[in-house]
Amino acid sequence: RAKDDPGHPIRRFELAMAEDMEAAARVRQDLRAGIECGDLHLLYQPKVALRSGRLVGMEALVRWDHPRHGRISPDTFIPVAESSGLIIPLGEWVLRECCRQMQVWRAEGLTDLRVSINMSPVQVFSQDVAAMVAAVLVETNLPPEALEVEITEGVFVHDEERARQQFEGLREMGVALSIDDFGTGYSALSYLKRLPVSALKIDQSFVREITTKPENARLCRAIIGVAHDFGLDVVAEGIETAEHLAYLRSEGCDYGQGYHFAKPLEAEAFKALALQQPWLIRENV
Ligand code: C2E
Ligand code: MG
Ligand code: MG
Ligand code: MG
C-alpha cells in the first residue's frame, strides 16, 4: 500500500515526526546524564556601575559541554530542560555552583560582589523557590545580600499572585530580584508597584540599535525614566561599543553589562579581571 512506502508523503512525514521525537528524547536523556556527570558549567559576565566605572558583580550563565556535540548554548537546551522538568535539578545546580564559587572568591578577597542567576518561570510555578534558595544559601554559607535573581516579566502575566508570594519570600530573606529582558514582554507596568523588584534590565535588542534607531534610544530613555520613577535601578545588557555606553551614561543608566566590558568569562578569567581591574571604565581610573 502507498502508506507503507517510505517514499510516500504521509509516511515520510510520520518518519520525520518519529525522528524528531526520538531526537528530542535523546536530548532529554543526554541532558539528564549531563547534569549528573558534571557536563554543565558556569561562565560569569561582569556587571559594572556606570557612574563609578566599578565592577559590582556578575551574571552566572550556564553552558552545557556535550560529550559529542561540544558546547551548547542555553537558548537551545533551557527550553528542553523546561519542557522535561529537568530545569528543577539544573536550576538548583546553577544556584549551588555559583554560591560555592562566590564563597571561594570571597575567601580570596573578592568581597562586595553580587552574583545574579537566571530563574526560569517553570521553577517559579513548580517548586517553592524561596525554600530552595534558602536551603542552598544555608548549605553554602553565602549571605543572601550577595545573591540576585533575574526573572522575565512573563512570570507575572502568567500568575502574578503565585509569583508575588514566591518573590516576597526571597525579598524577606534579603535576596534581590530583577526583571530580565524588560520591555520585550507584553505586560502592563502596574505589576512593578505590587512586587518586590529592585532592578529592571533593558533588553539587549534595544541597546544594540541605540545609535542607529532613534526609537530604540527613546525606548531606553523611557525605561530608565520608569525605573527611576519607581525607585528601581536600571541595568543595560548588551553594551558593545563606546557609543552605547556614552548614551546610557548620559541618560543616567545605573549599571551595564556587555562585550564592551567583557564577555561571559571562565571563573579563572573572571577572578583575574576582578583582582587586576576593579574599574572597568577607563576614564574613571
Ligand atoms: P539573558 O539572561 O538575557 O543573558 C544575556 C545573554 O546575552 C547571554 O547569552 C550573554 O552571553 C549575552 N550577552 C552579554 N553581553 C552581550 C553583548 O554585548 N552582546 C551580545 N550580542 N550578547 C551579549 P547566553 O549566555 O547565551 O544566555 C542566553 C539566555 O539563556 C539568557 O539570557 C538566559 O535567559 C538563559 N540562561 C542562561 N543561563 C541560565 C540559567 O542558569 N538558568 C536559566 N533558567 N536560564 C539561563
Ligand atoms: Mg539574565
Ligand atoms: Mg536579558
Ligand atoms: Mg535573554
Side-chain angles (χ1 to χ4, degrees):
R1 288 176 359 259
K3 262 198 77 177
D4 295 327
D5 168 10
H8 188 273
I10 294 177
R11 186 70 187 124
R12 253 196 347 244
F13 174 74
E14 285 174 354
L15 285 173
M17 283 278 289
E19 238 170 63
D20 251 28
M21 281 166 61
E22 253 174 62
R26 216 172 310 124
V27 175
R28 269 199 309 278
Q29 217 175 344
D30 285 3
L31 184 56
R32 182 172 291 122
I35 296 170
E36 282 166 13
C37 303
D39 294 338
L40 297 180
H41 84 261
L42 294 182
L43 298 182
Y44 297 91
Q45 186 175 40
K47 186 199 273 188
V48 182
L50 298 188
R51 193 194 293 263
S52 67
R54 204 171 167 89
L55 175 72
V56 292
M58 64 300 240
E59 178 172 1
L61 294 157
V62 71
R63 297 292 182 267
W64 177 19
D65 289 318
H66 191 284
R68 288 185 313 283
H69 305 302
R71 179 162 293 187
I72 304 178
S73 142
D75 285 328
T76 312
F77 68 86
I78 293 291
V80 176
E82 289 177 331
S83 64
S84 60
L86 287 171
I87 193 69
I88 302 298
L90 187 153
E92 204 170 318
W93 179 85
V94 167
L95 176 67
R96 183 173 290 109
E97 174 58 17
C98 81
C99 292
R100 184 200 62 76
Q101 181 64 74
M102 283 291 280
Q103 274 303 41
V104 170
W105 283 333
R106 289 160 64 88
E108 293 171 337
L110 287 178
T111 48
D112 301 329
L113 296 178
R114 183 142 88 185
V115 67
S116 307
I117 57 161
N118 293 282
M119 187 173 277
S120 160
V122 175
Q123 291 175 272
V124 175
F125 296 121
S126 56
Q127 72 180 141
D128 184 343
V129 287
M132 187 274 283
V133 170
V136 173
L137 287 173
V138 166
E139 177 193 321
T140 56
N141 198 26
L142 188 74
E145 294 72 28
L147 180 68
E148 180 167 338
V149 168
E150 300 185 6
I151 192 88
T152 51
E153 55 197 330
V155 79
F156 303 115
V157 181
H158 182 71
D159 183 348
E160 183 182 316
E161 185 48 30
R162 162 95 181 168
R164 198 184 54 72
Q165 283 169 11
Q166 296 258 19
F167 297 129
E168 293 279 336
L170 288 174
R171 186 191 46 190
E172 279 161 24
M173 246 184 275
V175 173
L177 178 69
S178 60
I179 308 298
D180 205 351
D181 305 341
F182 186 79
T184 60
Y186 296 98
S187 63
L189 292 174
S190 55
Y191 73 88
L192 288 178
K193 65 172 192 276
R194 292 190 294 271
L195 290 155
V197 171
S198 55
L200 303 183
K201 293 191 82 172
I202 306 177
D203 191 62
Q204 53 176 282
S205 60
F206 304 141
V207 175
R208 196 181 309 133
E209 293 173 319
I210 217 169
T211 43
T212 47
K213 288 194 176 164
E215 63 271 28
N216 279 7
R218 280 198 291 275
L219 255 169
C220 287
R221 184 193 302 162
I223 292 172
I224 293 166
V226 166
H228 288 166
D229 276 351
F230 279 90
L232 309 176
D233 286 330
V234 201
V235 185
E237 53 179 36
I239 300 179
E240 293 188 352
T241 67
E243 290 73 36
H244 295 161
L245 173 61
Y247 180 81
L248 290 160
R249 283 182 110 186
S250 72
E251 292 299 332
C253 182
D254 305 287
Y255 300 99
Q257 291 171 239
Y259 297 170
H260 178 70
F261 302 115
K263 291 197 169 179
L265 301 170
E266 298 290 341
E268 276 309 303
F270 179 88
K271 178 185 155 187
L273 177 112
L275 288 172
Q276 287 154 25
Q277 222 184 305
W279 276 273
L280 284 170
I281 298 178
R282 227 168 279 239
E283 65 257 39
N284 292 91
V285 175

PDB file of all heavy atoms in Angstrom, residues 217-253:
ATOM      1  N   ALA A 217      16.654  54.404  21.101  1.00  0.00           N
ATOM      2  CA  ALA A 217      17.236  55.334  22.062  1.00  0.00           C
ATOM      3  C   ALA A 217      16.132  55.889  22.964  1.00  0.00           C
ATOM      4  O   ALA A 217      16.276  55.963  24.188  1.00  0.00           O
ATOM      5  CB  ALA A 217      17.953  56.466  21.342  1.00  0.00           C
ATOM      6  N   ARG A 218      14.979  56.228  22.342  1.00  0.00           N
ATOM      7  CA  ARG A 218      13.856  56.748  23.136  1.00  0.00           C
ATOM      8  C   ARG A 218      13.327  55.693  24.103  1.00  0.00           C
ATOM      9  O   ARG A 218      12.984  55.993  25.246  1.00  0.00           O
ATOM     10  CB  ARG A 218      12.729  57.233  22.217  1.00  0.00           C
ATOM     11  CG  ARG A 218      12.992  58.617  21.636  1.00  0.00           C
ATOM     12  CD  ARG A 218      11.714  59.245  21.104  1.00  0.00           C
ATOM     13  NE  ARG A 218      11.226  58.569  19.909  1.00  0.00           N
ATOM     14  CZ  ARG A 218      11.658  58.843  18.676  1.00  0.00           C
ATOM     15  NH1 ARG A 218      12.552  59.792  18.468  1.00  0.00           N
ATOM     16  NH2 ARG A 218      11.197  58.191  17.635  1.00  0.00           N
ATOM     17  N   LEU A 219      13.267  54.447  23.620  1.00  0.00           N
ATOM     18  CA  LEU A 219      12.805  53.350  24.491  1.00  0.00           C
ATOM     19  C   LEU A 219      13.708  53.181  25.704  1.00  0.00           C
ATOM     20  O   LEU A 219      13.232  53.043  26.833  1.00  0.00           O
ATOM     21  CB  LEU A 219      12.805  52.033  23.698  1.00  0.00           C
ATOM     22  CG  LEU A 219      11.463  51.502  23.268  1.00  0.00           C
ATOM     23  CD1 LEU A 219      11.630  50.355  22.284  1.00  0.00           C
ATOM     24  CD2 LEU A 219      10.675  51.026  24.498  1.00  0.00           C
ATOM     25  N   CYS A 220      15.010  53.195  25.473  1.00  0.00           N
ATOM     26  CA  CYS A 220      15.957  53.058  26.589  1.00  0.00           C
ATOM     27  C   CYS A 220      15.769  54.205  27.576  1.00  0.00           C
ATOM     28  O   CYS A 220      15.719  53.994  28.784  1.00  0.00           O
ATOM     29  CB  CYS A 220      17.405  53.045  26.084  1.00  0.00           C
ATOM     30  SG  CYS A 220      17.852  51.504  25.270  1.00  0.00           S
ATOM     31  N   ARG A 221      15.645  55.414  27.039  1.00  0.00           N
ATOM     32  CA  ARG A 221      15.472  56.566  27.919  1.00  0.00           C
ATOM     33  C   ARG A 221      14.176  56.430  28.724  1.00  0.00           C
ATOM     34  O   ARG A 221      14.134  56.720  29.923  1.00  0.00           O
ATOM     35  CB  ARG A 221      15.437  57.859  27.094  1.00  0.00           C
ATOM     36  CG  ARG A 221      15.353  59.102  27.963  1.00  0.00           C
ATOM     37  CD  ARG A 221      15.001  60.330  27.158  1.00  0.00           C
ATOM     38  NE  ARG A 221      15.976  60.564  26.107  1.00  0.00           N
ATOM     39  CZ  ARG A 221      15.756  61.342  25.036  1.00  0.00           C
ATOM     40  NH1 ARG A 221      14.601  61.947  24.892  1.00  0.00           N
ATOM     41  NH2 ARG A 221      16.678  61.488  24.126  1.00  0.00           N
ATOM     42  N   ALA A 222      13.116  55.968  28.063  1.00  0.00           N
ATOM     43  CA  ALA A 222      11.830  55.812  28.747  1.00  0.00           C
ATOM     44  C   ALA A 222      11.923  54.754  29.851  1.00  0.00           C
ATOM     45  O   ALA A 222      11.390  54.938  30.949  1.00  0.00           O
ATOM     46  CB  ALA A 222      10.749  55.431  27.746  1.00  0.00           C
ATOM     47  N   ILE A 223      12.602  53.653  29.565  1.00  0.00           N
ATOM     48  CA  ILE A 223      12.717  52.591  30.578  1.00  0.00           C
ATOM     49  C   ILE A 223      13.510  53.097  31.783  1.00  0.00           C
ATOM     50  O   ILE A 223      13.142  52.832  32.931  1.00  0.00           O
ATOM     51  CB  ILE A 223      13.368  51.322  29.973  1.00  0.00           C
ATOM     52  CG1 ILE A 223      12.420  50.687  28.939  1.00  0.00           C
ATOM     53  CG2 ILE A 223      13.695  50.305  31.079  1.00  0.00           C
ATOM     54  CD1 ILE A 223      13.035  49.535  28.144  1.00  0.00           C
ATOM     55  N   ILE A 224      14.575  53.859  31.519  1.00  0.00           N
ATOM     56  CA  ILE A 224      15.370  54.419  32.628  1.00  0.00           C
ATOM     57  C   ILE A 224      14.477  55.340  33.469  1.00  0.00           C
ATOM     58  O   ILE A 224      14.493  55.288  34.701  1.00  0.00           O
ATOM     59  CB  ILE A 224      16.604  55.179  32.084  1.00  0.00           C
ATOM     60  CG1 ILE A 224      17.572  54.194  31.419  1.00  0.00           C
ATOM     61  CG2 ILE A 224      17.306  55.952  33.206  1.00  0.00           C
ATOM     62  CD1 ILE A 224      18.658  54.848  30.556  1.00  0.00           C
ATOM     63  N   GLY A 225      13.645  56.140  32.789  1.00  0.00           N
ATOM     64  CA  GLY A 225      12.734  57.042  33.496  1.00  0.00           C
ATOM     65  C   GLY A 225      11.721  56.292  34.349  1.00  0.00           C
ATOM     66  O   GLY A 225      11.514  56.622  35.520  1.00  0.00           O
ATOM     67  N   VAL A 226      11.109  55.257  33.771  1.00  0.00           N
ATOM     68  CA  VAL A 226      10.122  54.458  34.507  1.00  0.00           C
ATOM     69  C   VAL A 226      10.783  53.824  35.733  1.00  0.00           C
ATOM     70  O   VAL A 226      10.268  53.896  36.847  1.00  0.00           O
ATOM     71  CB  VAL A 226       9.532  53.336  33.609  1.00  0.00           C
ATOM     72  CG1 VAL A 226       8.779  52.305  34.448  1.00  0.00           C
ATOM     73  CG2 VAL A 226       8.610  53.938  32.561  1.00  0.00           C
ATOM     74  N   ALA A 227      11.941  53.226  35.519  1.00  0.00           N
ATOM     75  CA  ALA A 227      12.623  52.548  36.625  1.00  0.00           C
ATOM     76  C   ALA A 227      12.889  53.531  37.754  1.00  0.00           C
ATOM     77  O   ALA A 227      12.558  53.271  38.915  1.00  0.00           O
ATOM     78  CB  ALA A 227      13.932  51.932  36.139  1.00  0.00           C
ATOM     79  N   HIS A 228      13.452  54.672  37.417  1.00  0.00           N
ATOM     80  CA  HIS A 228      13.798  55.636  38.468  1.00  0.00           C
ATOM     81  C   HIS A 228      12.557  56.194  39.148  1.00  0.00           C
ATOM     82  O   HIS A 228      12.563  56.406  40.362  1.00  0.00           O
ATOM     83  CB  HIS A 228      14.704  56.736  37.901  1.00  0.00           C
ATOM     84  CG  HIS A 228      16.099  56.235  37.609  1.00  0.00           C
ATOM     85  ND1 HIS A 228      17.004  56.917  36.845  1.00  0.00           N
ATOM     86  CD2 HIS A 228      16.730  55.094  37.988  1.00  0.00           C
ATOM     87  CE1 HIS A 228      18.143  56.235  36.765  1.00  0.00           C
ATOM     88  NE2 HIS A 228      17.991  55.117  37.441  1.00  0.00           N
ATOM     89  N   ASP A 229      11.476  56.406  38.388  1.00  0.00           N
ATOM     90  CA  ASP A 229      10.218  56.841  38.999  1.00  0.00           C
ATOM     91  C   ASP A 229       9.720  55.845  40.034  1.00  0.00           C
ATOM     92  O   ASP A 229       9.105  56.207  41.028  1.00  0.00           O
ATOM     93  CB  ASP A 229       9.123  57.001  37.939  1.00  0.00           C
ATOM     94  CG  ASP A 229       9.189  58.365  37.264  1.00  0.00           C
ATOM     95  OD1 ASP A 229       9.967  59.215  37.746  1.00  0.00           O
ATOM     96  OD2 ASP A 229       8.472  58.556  36.270  1.00  0.00           O
ATOM     97  N   PHE A 230       9.946  54.568  39.768  1.00  0.00           N
ATOM     98  CA  PHE A 230       9.519  53.521  40.697  1.00  0.00           C
ATOM     99  C   PHE A 230      10.571  53.240  41.768  1.00  0.00           C
ATOM    100  O   PHE A 230      10.408  52.327  42.563  1.00  0.00           O
ATOM    101  CB  PHE A 230       9.197  52.219  39.940  1.00  0.00           C
ATOM    102  CG  PHE A 230       7.827  52.201  39.319  1.00  0.00           C
ATOM    103  CD1 PHE A 230       7.628  52.671  38.031  1.00  0.00           C
ATOM    104  CD2 PHE A 230       6.736  51.725  40.037  1.00  0.00           C
ATOM    105  CE1 PHE A 230       6.363  52.655  37.448  1.00  0.00           C
ATOM    106  CE2 PHE A 230       5.462  51.704  39.465  1.00  0.00           C
ATOM    107  CZ  PHE A 230       5.277  52.172  38.172  1.00  0.00           C
ATOM    108  N   GLY A 231      11.652  53.998  41.755  1.00  0.00           N
ATOM    109  CA  GLY A 231      12.709  53.789  42.750  1.00  0.00           C
ATOM    110  C   GLY A 231      13.556  52.552  42.472  1.00  0.00           C
ATOM    111  O   GLY A 231      14.150  51.973  43.378  1.00  0.00           O
ATOM    112  N   LEU A 232      13.618  52.142  41.203  1.00  0.00           N
ATOM    113  CA  LEU A 232      14.372  50.940  40.854  1.00  0.00           C
ATOM    114  C   LEU A 232      15.672  51.300  40.145  1.00  0.00           C
ATOM    115  O   LEU A 232      15.770  52.355  39.519  1.00  0.00           O
ATOM    116  CB  LEU A 232      13.540  50.055  39.914  1.00  0.00           C
ATOM    117  CG  LEU A 232      12.120  49.719  40.344  1.00  0.00           C
ATOM    118  CD1 LEU A 232      11.419  48.931  39.240  1.00  0.00           C
ATOM    119  CD2 LEU A 232      12.140  48.936  41.641  1.00  0.00           C
ATOM    120  N   ASP A 233      16.649  50.413  40.218  1.00  0.00           N
ATOM    121  CA  ASP A 233      17.870  50.556  39.432  1.00  0.00           C
ATOM    122  C   ASP A 233      17.620  50.055  38.015  1.00  0.00           C
ATOM    123  O   ASP A 233      16.709  49.261  37.783  1.00  0.00           O
ATOM    124  CB  ASP A 233      18.998  49.712  40.046  1.00  0.00           C
ATOM    125  CG  ASP A 233      19.531  50.340  41.325  1.00  0.00           C
ATOM    126  OD1 ASP A 233      19.498  51.582  41.444  1.00  0.00           O
ATOM    127  OD2 ASP A 233      19.989  49.581  42.205  1.00  0.00           O
ATOM    128  N   VAL A 234      18.456  50.516  37.085  1.00  0.00           N
ATOM    129  CA  VAL A 234      18.381  50.023  35.708  1.00  0.00           C
ATOM    130  C   VAL A 234      19.726  49.447  35.304  1.00  0.00           C
ATOM    131  O   VAL A 234      20.772  50.038  35.556  1.00  0.00           O
ATOM    132  CB  VAL A 234      18.105  51.145  34.679  1.00  0.00           C
ATOM    133  CG1 VAL A 234      17.539  50.545  33.394  1.00  0.00           C
ATOM    134  CG2 VAL A 234      17.223  52.196  35.244  1.00  0.00           C
ATOM    135  N   VAL A 235      19.661  48.291  34.663  1.00  0.00           N
ATOM    136  CA  VAL A 235      20.849  47.628  34.153  1.00  0.00           C
ATOM    137  C   VAL A 235      20.665  47.512  32.638  1.00  0.00           C
ATOM    138  O   VAL A 235      19.635  47.028  32.183  1.00  0.00           O
ATOM    139  CB  VAL A 235      20.983  46.203  34.735  1.00  0.00           C
ATOM    140  CG1 VAL A 235      22.295  45.570  34.300  1.00  0.00           C
ATOM    141  CG2 VAL A 235      20.827  46.209  36.252  1.00  0.00           C
ATOM    142  N   ALA A 236      21.664  47.950  31.867  1.00  0.00           N
ATOM    143  CA  ALA A 236      21.588  47.758  30.408  1.00  0.00           C
ATOM    144  C   ALA A 236      22.420  46.545  30.046  1.00  0.00           C
ATOM    145  O   ALA A 236      23.558  46.416  30.492  1.00  0.00           O
ATOM    146  CB  ALA A 236      22.105  48.988  29.685  1.00  0.00           C
ATOM    147  N   GLU A 237      21.846  45.631  29.259  1.00  0.00           N
ATOM    148  CA  GLU A 237      22.657  44.490  28.811  1.00  0.00           C
ATOM    149  C   GLU A 237      23.004  44.662  27.341  1.00  0.00           C
ATOM    150  O   GLU A 237      22.363  45.422  26.633  1.00  0.00           O
ATOM    151  CB  GLU A 237      21.969  43.157  29.100  1.00  0.00           C
ATOM    152  CG  GLU A 237      20.561  43.006  28.585  1.00  0.00           C
ATOM    153  CD  GLU A 237      19.976  41.620  28.899  1.00  0.00           C
ATOM    154  OE1 GLU A 237      20.278  41.070  29.970  1.00  0.00           O
ATOM    155  OE2 GLU A 237      19.225  41.119  28.059  1.00  0.00           O
ATOM    156  N   GLY A 238      24.066  44.004  26.907  1.00  0.00           N
ATOM    157  CA  GLY A 238      24.450  44.083  25.500  1.00  0.00           C
ATOM    158  C   GLY A 238      25.139  45.383  25.124  1.00  0.00           C
ATOM    159  O   GLY A 238      25.048  45.831  23.983  1.00  0.00           O
ATOM    160  N   ILE A 239      25.844  46.021  26.069  1.00  0.00           N
ATOM    161  CA  ILE A 239      26.647  47.210  25.728  1.00  0.00           C
ATOM    162  C   ILE A 239      27.885  46.745  24.961  1.00  0.00           C
ATOM    163  O   ILE A 239      28.741  46.075  25.518  1.00  0.00           O
ATOM    164  CB  ILE A 239      27.067  47.983  27.005  1.00  0.00           C
ATOM    165  CG1 ILE A 239      25.827  48.449  27.777  1.00  0.00           C
ATOM    166  CG2 ILE A 239      27.972  49.169  26.635  1.00  0.00           C
ATOM    167  CD1 ILE A 239      26.154  49.205  29.066  1.00  0.00           C
ATOM    168  N   GLU A 240      27.922  47.063  23.669  1.00  0.00           N
ATOM    169  CA  GLU A 240      29.018  46.546  22.833  1.00  0.00           C
ATOM    170  C   GLU A 240      30.008  47.610  22.413  1.00  0.00           C
ATOM    171  O   GLU A 240      31.127  47.288  22.012  1.00  0.00           O
ATOM    172  CB  GLU A 240      28.444  45.839  21.586  1.00  0.00           C
ATOM    173  CG  GLU A 240      27.687  44.563  21.919  1.00  0.00           C
ATOM    174  CD  GLU A 240      27.285  43.755  20.695  1.00  0.00           C
ATOM    175  OE1 GLU A 240      27.448  44.252  19.558  1.00  0.00           O
ATOM    176  OE2 GLU A 240      26.799  42.620  20.894  1.00  0.00           O
ATOM    177  N   THR A 241      29.608  48.871  22.458  1.00  0.00           N
ATOM    178  CA  THR A 241      30.506  49.925  21.945  1.00  0.00           C
ATOM    179  C   THR A 241      30.583  51.108  22.917  1.00  0.00           C
ATOM    180  O   THR A 241      29.726  51.265  23.797  1.00  0.00           O
ATOM    181  CB  THR A 241      29.996  50.480  20.595  1.00  0.00           C
ATOM    182  OG1 THR A 241      28.761  51.173  20.831  1.00  0.00           O
ATOM    183  CG2 THR A 241      29.779  49.368  19.578  1.00  0.00           C
ATOM    184  N   ALA A 242      31.588  51.943  22.688  1.00  0.00           N
ATOM    185  CA  ALA A 242      31.746  53.165  23.480  1.00  0.00           C
ATOM    186  C   ALA A 242      30.530  54.080  23.280  1.00  0.00           C
ATOM    187  O   ALA A 242      30.143  54.807  24.198  1.00  0.00           O
ATOM    188  CB  ALA A 242      33.033  53.884  23.083  1.00  0.00           C
ATOM    189  N   GLU A 243      29.926  54.040  22.099  1.00  0.00           N
ATOM    190  CA  GLU A 243      28.750  54.885  21.820  1.00  0.00           C
ATOM    191  C   GLU A 243      27.543  54.428  22.650  1.00  0.00           C
ATOM    192  O   GLU A 243      26.821  55.245  23.208  1.00  0.00           O
ATOM    193  CB  GLU A 243      28.379  54.862  20.330  1.00  0.00           C
ATOM    194  CG  GLU A 243      29.344  55.568  19.400  1.00  0.00           C
ATOM    195  CD  GLU A 243      30.666  54.818  19.198  1.00  0.00           C
ATOM    196  OE1 GLU A 243      30.641  53.556  19.156  1.00  0.00           O
ATOM    197  OE2 GLU A 243      31.716  55.485  19.117  1.00  0.00           O
ATOM    198  N   HIS A 244      27.330  53.101  22.706  1.00  0.00           N
ATOM    199  CA  HIS A 244      26.254  52.575  23.566  1.00  0.00           C
ATOM    200  C   HIS A 244      26.449  53.072  24.993  1.00  0.00           C
ATOM    201  O   HIS A 244      25.530  53.564  25.640  1.00  0.00           O
ATOM    202  CB  HIS A 244      26.273  51.036  23.605  1.00  0.00           C
ATOM    203  CG  HIS A 244      25.987  50.373  22.299  1.00  0.00           C
ATOM    204  ND1 HIS A 244      26.324  49.067  22.062  1.00  0.00           N
ATOM    205  CD2 HIS A 244      25.374  50.810  21.171  1.00  0.00           C
ATOM    206  CE1 HIS A 244      25.947  48.722  20.842  1.00  0.00           C
ATOM    207  NE2 HIS A 244      25.369  49.762  20.280  1.00  0.00           N
ATOM    208  N   LEU A 245      27.690  52.920  25.470  1.00  0.00           N
ATOM    209  CA  LEU A 245      27.999  53.274  26.852  1.00  0.00           C
ATOM    210  C   LEU A 245      27.769  54.760  27.098  1.00  0.00           C
ATOM    211  O   LEU A 245      27.137  55.142  28.090  1.00  0.00           O
ATOM    212  CB  LEU A 245      29.457  52.894  27.164  1.00  0.00           C
ATOM    213  CG  LEU A 245      29.991  53.348  28.516  1.00  0.00           C
ATOM    214  CD1 LEU A 245      29.177  52.733  29.651  1.00  0.00           C
ATOM    215  CD2 LEU A 245      31.469  52.980  28.659  1.00  0.00           C
ATOM    216  N   ALA A 246      28.250  55.606  26.167  1.00  0.00           N
ATOM    217  CA  ALA A 246      28.134  57.054  26.343  1.00  0.00           C
ATOM    218  C   ALA A 246      26.664  57.467  26.437  1.00  0.00           C
ATOM    219  O   ALA A 246      26.276  58.245  27.309  1.00  0.00           O
ATOM    220  CB  ALA A 246      28.825  57.779  25.193  1.00  0.00           C
ATOM    221  N   TYR A 247      25.842  56.902  25.542  1.00  0.00           N
ATOM    222  CA  TYR A 247      24.432  57.275  25.564  1.00  0.00           C
ATOM    223  C   TYR A 247      23.774  56.858  26.888  1.00  0.00           C
ATOM    224  O   TYR A 247      23.087  57.641  27.540  1.00  0.00           O
ATOM    225  CB  TYR A 247      23.671  56.642  24.382  1.00  0.00           C
ATOM    226  CG  TYR A 247      22.213  57.027  24.387  1.00  0.00           C
ATOM    227  CD1 TYR A 247      21.806  58.245  23.885  1.00  0.00           C
ATOM    228  CD2 TYR A 247      21.247  56.171  24.947  1.00  0.00           C
ATOM    229  CE1 TYR A 247      20.473  58.629  23.925  1.00  0.00           C
ATOM    230  CE2 TYR A 247      19.904  56.550  24.992  1.00  0.00           C
ATOM    231  CZ  TYR A 247      19.531  57.779  24.481  1.00  0.00           C
ATOM    232  OH  TYR A 247      18.213  58.151  24.535  1.00  0.00           O
ATOM    233  N   LEU A 248      24.014  55.625  27.303  1.00  0.00           N
ATOM    234  CA  LEU A 248      23.370  55.117  28.516  1.00  0.00           C
ATOM    235  C   LEU A 248      23.828  55.880  29.756  1.00  0.00           C
ATOM    236  O   LEU A 248      23.032  56.172  30.648  1.00  0.00           O
ATOM    237  CB  LEU A 248      23.649  53.618  28.656  1.00  0.00           C
ATOM    238  CG  LEU A 248      22.911  52.785  27.600  1.00  0.00           C
ATOM    239  CD1 LEU A 248      23.559  51.417  27.432  1.00  0.00           C
ATOM    240  CD2 LEU A 248      21.430  52.635  27.979  1.00  0.00           C
ATOM    241  N   ARG A 249      25.105  56.222  29.793  1.00  0.00           N
ATOM    242  CA  ARG A 249      25.601  57.022  30.923  1.00  0.00           C
ATOM    243  C   ARG A 249      24.950  58.390  30.932  1.00  0.00           C
ATOM    244  O   ARG A 249      24.558  58.896  31.984  1.00  0.00           O
ATOM    245  CB  ARG A 249      27.110  57.192  30.840  1.00  0.00           C
ATOM    246  CG  ARG A 249      27.894  55.984  31.274  1.00  0.00           C
ATOM    247  CD  ARG A 249      29.383  56.280  31.193  1.00  0.00           C
ATOM    248  NE  ARG A 249      29.999  56.379  32.507  1.00  0.00           N
ATOM    249  CZ  ARG A 249      31.254  56.751  32.688  1.00  0.00           C
ATOM    250  NH1 ARG A 249      32.011  57.098  31.664  1.00  0.00           N
ATOM    251  NH2 ARG A 249      31.751  56.802  33.911  1.00  0.00           N
ATOM    252  N   SER A 250      24.830  59.006  29.738  1.00  0.00           N
ATOM    253  CA  SER A 250      24.266  60.358  29.685  1.00  0.00           C
ATOM    254  C   SER A 250      22.800  60.339  30.109  1.00  0.00           C
ATOM    255  O   SER A 250      22.279  61.333  30.610  1.00  0.00           O
ATOM    256  CB  SER A 250      24.421  60.960  28.287  1.00  0.00           C
ATOM    257  OG  SER A 250      23.526  60.316  27.398  1.00  0.00           O
ATOM    258  N   GLU A 251      22.129  59.190  29.935  1.00  0.00           N
ATOM    259  CA  GLU A 251      20.724  59.094  30.342  1.00  0.00           C
ATOM    260  C   GLU A 251      20.569  58.629  31.782  1.00  0.00           C
ATOM    261  O   GLU A 251      19.462  58.431  32.271  1.00  0.00           O
ATOM    262  CB  GLU A 251      19.955  58.151  29.404  1.00  0.00           C
ATOM    263  CG  GLU A 251      19.795  58.685  27.981  1.00  0.00           C
ATOM    264  CD  GLU A 251      19.012  60.004  27.921  1.00  0.00           C
ATOM    265  OE1 GLU A 251      18.161  60.249  28.802  1.00  0.00           O
ATOM    266  OE2 GLU A 251      19.267  60.804  26.986  1.00  0.00           O
ATOM    267  N   GLY A 252      21.683  58.385  32.462  1.00  0.00           N
ATOM    268  CA  GLY A 252      21.612  58.048  33.883  1.00  0.00           C
ATOM    269  C   GLY A 252      21.373  56.582  34.190  1.00  0.00           C
ATOM    270  O   GLY A 252      20.951  56.232  35.296  1.00  0.00           O
ATOM    271  N   CYS A 253      21.637  55.712  33.216  1.00  0.00           N
ATOM    272  CA  CYS A 253      21.509  54.272  33.470  1.00  0.00           C
ATOM    273  C   CYS A 253      22.520  53.854  34.542  1.00  0.00           C
ATOM    274  O   CYS A 253      23.667  54.285  34.523  1.00  0.00           O
ATOM    275  CB  CYS A 253      21.772  53.513  32.169  1.00  0.00           C
ATOM    276  SG  CYS A 253      21.593  51.736  32.321  1.00  0.00           S
TER     277      CYS A 253
END
